[in-house]
Amino acid sequence: MSGKAHLSLIERAKKARLNAFAPYSRFKVGAAVLSGSGKIYSGCNMENASYGLTVCAERNAVAAMVAAGEREIMAVAVVTDLKTPASPCGACRQVIAEFGPGAKIVMANLKGAVQVRSLSALLPLQFKKQKK
Ligand SMILES: [Zn+2]
């Protein structure tokens, strides 16, 4: 994945972040998934008055990809306004692993800082369904 591809993925995540529903934490997050077909699906975090029902931007972006019929993740970008780009939480790492065990994770903030890691570096020993 080229630097230019990273940038378009980050742009889509930034755009989705603007729609984040985060009235409780005021922490807005945007995510974008690059699928196996080359399409980009985006998502934002969505909080709830019952806090535990909050869903992260990354999982919402993955759900949009799955709803469109795709099953392969090549890369995921996540954008926040933090000083250091944020990495996906543990739950999101596991959800990404289901469709992209080798996915690239592109972490960015609004000031242009970008970090790229592989999912396998962020989530070693991924849990997989296996035969008994
Ligand atoms: Zn998460």
Side-chain angles (χ1 to χ4, degrees):
M1 199 183 170
S2 69
K4 203 172 174 186
H6 287 172
L7 286 180
S8 57
L9 206 55
I10 290 168
E11 282 311 309
R12 288 289 297 275
K14 269 187 191 169
K15 214 179 232 182
R17 183 184 166 278
L18 297 175
N19 292 325
F21 181 71
Y24 307 107
S25 73
R26 308 217 175 270
F27 179 51
K28 294 184 168 194
V29 184
V33 169
L34 176 66
S35 71
S37 75
K39 282 190 188 163
I40 294 175
Y41 300 90
S42 61
C44 57
N45 56 330
M46 180 182 73
E47 296 183 343
N48 191 276
S50 176
Y51 295 170
L53 300 180
T54 292
V55 183
C56 299
E58 299 93 313
R59 274 178 286 151
N60 281 330
V62 171
M65 182 201 81
V66 171
E70 298 214 43
R71 297 291 185 265
E72 189 184 13
I73 295 174
M74 309 307 290
V76 178
V78 55
V79 173
T80 66
D81 63 352
L82 297 178
K83 196 171 167 192
T84 302
S87 62
C89 76
C92 287
R93 292 176 195 198
Q94 180 61 35
V95 168
I96 294 165
E98 185 77 22
F99 304 102
K104 288 279 170 223
I105 308 297
V106 181
M107 299 161 279
N109 68 13
L110 297 180
K111 291 189 173 163
V114 179
Q115 293 183 346
V116 183
R117 298 282 186 281
S118 65
L119 181 67
S120 52
L122 296 179
L123 186 67
L125 298 175
Q126 299 169 2
F127 176 76
K128 291 184 185 108
K129 186 164 180 169
Q130 49 186 273
K131 292 192 173 115
K132 288 182 196 169

